[in-house]
Amino acid sequence: MEALKMKTLENEEIYTIDYIYALPDGERAELIDGKLYDMAPPNWTHQRTLNFLTYAINKYIEDNNGKCHVLPAPFAVFLNKDKTNYVEPDISVICDDDKLDEKGCHGAPDWVIEIVSPSSKRMDYFIKLFKYRSAGVREYWIVDPIKQRVTVHHFDMEDGEEYAFGEEIPVGIFEGFSIKV
């Protein structure tokens, strides 16, 4: 596995996507700017929320003859089309078929949803927020079952908006569509 890492001038280890693909079966990790982040298996609440949101978004797209694809994790997203960034968002909505191939999405999805787990808080609220914004994701939702809140970032606006579970949350990339989590 040593050949799947690089060293910076400061002698810091930088991992590549090849390292991700060399992980043993069942092990998952994400890679942001060459830094490796292990992923814990999701819990029941996480999966129930993922299923609900995936279904609601797919139904809206189908009912409106949309052309976007809703892809739940595990699905590879190569954010910057480089060897040091690889994420598996909980839900990726991709409206450009040219970004998709059998390996995953090459470039930023239009809409990303992350469902917060106790082990993913820092990643979802800070590290991924910055990475998704800089990569060109148009809309980013952070769904927090513990707080029962959804933080919505439209990256053409400065601040995120917060919604409580049970409130209608407008979807910025689809006019006239809202979801009540």
Side-chain angles (χ1 to χ4, degrees):
M1 294 270 239
E2 280 305 309
L4 307 176
K5 300 179 207 173
M6 302 182 299
K7 297 275 188 183
T8 65
L9 292 175
E10 297 81 30
N11 216 22
E12 180 182 331
E13 283 187 340
I14 298 291
Y15 293 85
T16 68
I17 291 168
D18 296 329
Y19 188 90
I20 297 288
Y21 282 105
L23 289 172
D25 284 347
E27 282 189 40
R28 290 176 51 215
E30 293 180 304
L31 194 60
I32 297 179
D33 297 327
K35 186 168 179 175
L36 194 67
Y37 296 91
D38 291 324
M39 297 173 68
N43 62 29
W44 181 77
T45 299
H46 181 282
Q47 291 304 93
R48 185 176 55 148
T49 306
L50 175 78
N51 188 49
F52 168 79
L53 289 168
T54 301
Y55 174 79
I57 299 164
N58 264 320
K59 182 162 178 23
Y60 175 82
I61 291 170
E62 236 176 67
D63 290 350
N64 290 279
N65 299 311
K67 304 240 184 275
C68 299
H69 305 280
V70 183
L71 299 154
F75 183 74
V77 174
F78 307 95
L79 278 175
N80 297 83
K81 300 181 186 177
D82 61 20
K83 290 197 138 303
T84 60
N85 286 283
Y86 169 96
V87 292
E88 292 182 8
D90 289 317
I91 300 173
S92 300
V93 178
I94 300 151
C95 302
D96 181 354
D97 285 342
D98 291 337
K99 290 183 179 181
L100 296 167
D101 68 16
E102 288 302 313
K103 284 194 164 230
C105 176
H106 300 272
D110 295 273
W111 181 16
V112 169
I113 299 174
E114 294 287 5
I115 301 163
V116 178
S117 301
S119 64
S120 73
K121 266 186 182 175
R122 183 172 168 270
M123 281 289 289
D124 296 336
Y125 279 105
F126 300 106
I127 295 168
K128 285 185 175 179
L129 171 64
F130 173 76
K131 196 65 191 172
Y132 291 149
R133 179 184 312 222
S134 63
V137 170
R138 292 170 45 202
E139 186 165 346
Y140 175 42
W141 286 23
I142 304 169
V143 178
D144 194 327
I146 294 168
K147 290 181 179 179
Q148 301 232 330
R149 310 278 303 159
V150 178
T151 305
V152 176
H153 294 276
H154 302 279
F155 289 134
D156 56 349
M157 299 167 49
E158 272 191 40
D159 295 325
E161 300 172 83
E162 282 216 354
Y163 298 87
F165 277 22
E167 287 185 274
E168 289 285 337
I169 305 170
V171 176
I173 70 164
F174 298 126
E175 193 166 323
F177 178 39
S178 64
I179 299 176
K180 191 185 291 189
V181 179

